[in-house]
Amino acid sequence: MPSEQAVDEYLDIPYVTSQPQSPFHRFDLYVPKEISTRLLCPLICFVHGGAWKSEDKFDQVAARRLACTTGCPVALPNYRLTPKRPTPDNFLRHPEHAKDILGFLNFICAEPPRVPGLPYEPHQLVLVGHSCAAHMLCSIFLNVSSHSSDAADANQLCPSDTLLERTKALVLSEGIYDLDLLISSFPTCRSWFIEDAFGERDSYADVSVNKAPTRHHSGHIKWLIIHSKGDTLVDEEQSQAMYNHLKDQSAQVDKSFDELFEDHNEILRCDQYVDVLRRFIEVISALE
């Protein structure tokens, strides 16, 4: 593991500026102090997991360490969560979580910058999604409207040409891609979080992402699918299915299924996870 750099922290930056502002529409930015020596390094955006209903950007220790070890700035957005006890008055369902993340990505790509003076150049983006966030990023960067029963919802997740062009890579770890497959492996997931986040359905095929085609003008994007041998919450079958699908779509995709051995969230605290990301990002940067 390379030596770690000191970083500057910029916390709770709003990416939705309408009033009243929400803590779920803010992001943190970690910037290595010596970033000026690497003007062409990408901006890494790390989107946390939590079954669409928990966790927070503040909890993501891996992202800060990623900034320290790569020398690249790292942004961590929050997004609205499905309530742990939904009621008819407060429920929040897919695709609202992903729409927040798309709003964040549009915010950081804005020209001129929405927050002048922040030290990052979002012309090269590496997007990292863990667990349910892998599903969110796929809902944006794959054409989910092609098999969705609600094309209007799916079309709200369409990225701009600018965002597609600037996104150089997607890294997806311990991802949830096929909800029906997950329920078949772990039946309690249905009542634990899937029904709350997606509603009660006989099948969740139309909100799964492992059959959605790649978008036009996205062939340059490089994908990395990560899965730990020790994950007890999401099985490797999810990641293998997504990897196979992207290969069938002729996407530039690689996988890391044999380097991590910790459990679902424990990988975020281990050096090896950060090192897998660091090595992939160095390859991406070298190609630019």
Side-chain angles (χ1 to χ4, degrees):
M1 180 78 69
S3 59
E4 295 190 354
Q5 302 183 31
V7 299
D8 291 320
E9 300 179 0
Y10 302 81
L11 305 180
D12 287 325
I13 305 162
Y15 65 86
V16 174
T17 56
S18 57
Q19 299 295 332
Q21 292 187 354
S22 166
F24 295 111
H25 289 149
R26 295 175 180 269
F27 70 100
D28 294 343
L29 180 68
Y30 296 101
V31 182
K33 289 184 179 293
E34 298 184 12
I35 193 171
S36 60
T37 63
R38 294 187 62 199
L39 295 177
L40 296 180
C41 61
L43 172 65
I44 303 167
C45 300
F46 189 102
V47 187
H48 72 78
W52 288 272
K53 62 194 305 183
S54 65
E55 298 192 25
D56 182 271
K57 59 183 173 56
F58 184 75
D59 304 326
Q60 309 308 309
V61 294
R64 179 191 172 95
R65 291 171 55 224
L66 196 57
C68 295
T69 57
T70 63
C72 298
V74 178
L76 296 87
N78 269 349
Y79 52 87
R80 289 172 296 161
L81 302 173
T82 293
K84 293 182 179 179
R85 293 179 176 84
T87 71
D89 295 325
N90 73 357
F91 74 88
L92 183 106
R93 289 180 178 158
H94 174 81
E96 297 304 310
H97 323 78
K99 284 167 60 178
D100 283 356
I101 295 305
L102 179 57
F104 159 73
L105 294 172
N106 288 334
F107 179 91
I108 62 171
C109 285
E111 296 283 1
R114 301 273 181 84
V115 184
L118 282 181
Y120 67 83
E121 290 289 340
H123 296 292
Q124 298 181 50
L125 300 176
V126 174
L127 310 182
V128 183
H130 182 69
S131 191
C132 67
H135 182 283
M136 293 179 214
L137 290 177
C138 288
S139 295
I140 296 169
F141 287 90
L142 297 177
N143 186 11
V144 292
S145 64
S146 66
H147 69 287
S148 173
S149 62
D150 192 337
D153 270 351
N155 286 333
Q156 293 180 62
L157 297 177
C158 186
S160 67
D161 290 343
T162 298
L163 177 55
L164 272 178
E165 178 185 356
R166 292 183 177 184
T167 300
K168 304 305 179 185
L170 285 161
V171 181
L172 310 175
S173 58
E174 316 308 301
I176 298 171
Y177 310 103
D178 186 326
L179 299 177
D180 289 329
L181 183 62
L182 189 69
I183 291 169
S184 70
S185 299
F186 305 97
T188 58
C189 285
R190 176 187 285 273
S191 59
W192 175 22
F193 63 86
I194 291 176
E195 288 183 346
D196 289 345
F198 292 86
E200 296 185 21
R201 302 168 181 237
D202 293 332
S203 170
Y204 293 89
D206 67 335
V207 288
S208 296
V209 296
N210 64 316
K211 293 181 174 60
T214 53
R215 292 192 182 275
H216 294 302
H217 310 301
S218 67
H220 64 283
I221 295 177
K222 298 170 179 62
W223 300 72
L224 175 64
I225 311 297
I226 298 173
H227 205 95
S228 171
K229 293 295 185 185
D231 194 333
T232 61
L233 296 181
V234 177
D235 54 4
E236 188 176 303
E237 194 174 0
Q238 288 284 320
S239 291
Q240 188 64 56
M242 193 66 207
Y243 174 79
N244 292 343
H245 172 63
L246 289 171
K247 290 288 284 186
D248 289 343
Q249 292 290 304
S250 300
Q252 301 182 65
V253 59
D254 202 351
K255 64 180 180 178
S256 171
F257 290 180
D258 301 306
E259 297 183 84
L260 301 172
F261 300 92
E262 292 77 15
D263 210 340
H264 187 77
N265 282 335
E266 278 62 42
I267 66 166
L268 303 176
R269 303 181 184 92
C270 74
D271 289 342
Q272 186 63 19
Y273 177 76
V274 175
D275 197 50
V276 170
L277 269 63
R278 177 191 61 80
R279 287 186 276 113
F280 180 70
I281 291 167
E282 286 182 350
V283 171
I284 298 302
S285 299
L287 296 175
E288 296 299 325

